[in-house]
Amino acid sequence: MKAATISQLKKELAKLDEDELLDVCVRLAKFKVESKELLTYLLMKADDEPAYADELCDEIDQHLSVSGKIHKKTLRKVVRWMDKSLRFSGDKETELQVRIHFCQRIKEKRISFGGCRVSQNMYETQLKKIDKAIEKVHPDLQFDFNRQLSGL
């Protein structure tokens, strides 16, 4: 079966009444965990973006609570989870706050990559993503985020 375009889906969803729409959303959430996570964000967390960013930062702290050398698989898992969670939000300020927090924690905990070029590249990729996101926020915020970034 070929998937319909977004505009086609939007037209079909507009035709549904409230109960049918609710059934479609619940059924969608049952099929994939990521769909359930997105619905959770949209329904419960999207109202308070700063709290969502703080929640993500706390989760990063839990993942990186290991001292010393961190394995590249663990780092890759954290980065994938972080990217997925930030994709739900789509807010550049939240993205910057979380990515900068991630990089700061790696520096603060003195997590060594043990000569692992893959882990070093993942860290540098986060810095590049931060630079790109900074360009898309308000100039006043750019100054604040650049100041936070200077320590990295």
Side-chain angles (χ1 to χ4, degrees):
M1 179 171 94
K2 184 179 176 189
T5 64
I6 296 294
S7 61
Q8 290 171 330
L9 291 172
K10 189 174 180 180
K11 288 176 187 174
E12 291 298 318
L13 287 171
K15 294 177 186 176
L16 300 177
D17 67 2
E18 196 172 310
D19 291 334
E20 291 173 328
L21 190 58
L22 180 64
D23 290 340
V24 168
C25 287
V26 169
R27 194 161 174 213
L28 179 67
K30 286 181 182 179
F31 275 95
K32 204 166 187 185
V33 173
E34 193 168 313
S35 297
K36 189 186 290 186
E37 290 171 344
L38 177 58
L39 278 174
T40 301
Y41 167 76
L42 291 172
L43 297 173
M44 298 175 193
K45 310 221 185 245
D47 303 354
D48 192 7
E49 199 66 33
Y52 180 66
D54 291 339
E55 184 180 318
L56 295 178
C57 290
D58 291 341
E59 191 78 23
I60 288 171
D61 289 342
Q62 289 176 1
H63 286 295
L64 297 179
S65 61
V66 180
S67 61
K69 187 177 175 184
I70 188 167
H71 198 275
K72 67 182 175 187
K73 286 184 180 180
T74 304
L75 191 61
R76 194 177 290 147
K77 178 182 172 185
V78 172
V79 169
R80 270 197 316 266
W81 169 83
M82 184 174 60
D83 287 342
K84 180 180 70 170
S85 299
L86 291 173
R87 195 172 58 234
F88 292 158
S89 170
D91 184 40
K92 290 297 176 190
E93 292 177 40
T94 301
E95 178 182 353
L96 285 167
Q97 181 181 348
V98 172
R99 289 191 194 281
I100 288 173
H101 180 81
F102 172 77
C103 292
Q104 285 174 338
R105 288 300 167 257
I106 287 178
K107 283 291 187 185
E108 284 175 9
K109 295 190 179 282
R110 294 190 172 108
I111 295 174
S112 65
F113 299 122
C116 179
R117 192 70 197 143
V118 173
S119 298
Q120 184 67 34
N121 286 342
M122 277 190 267
Y123 178 77
E124 290 171 7
T125 300
Q126 294 306 309
L127 294 177
K128 289 176 186 174
K129 288 181 179 182
I130 290 170
D131 286 335
K132 281 185 180 180
I134 285 178
E135 295 171 3
K136 296 178 182 175
V137 295
H138 191 272
D140 292 338
L141 294 172
Q142 285 180 2
F143 177 76
D144 294 336
F145 285 121
N146 277 324
R147 210 172 60 207
Q148 289 179 9
L149 188 61
S150 65
L152 303 175

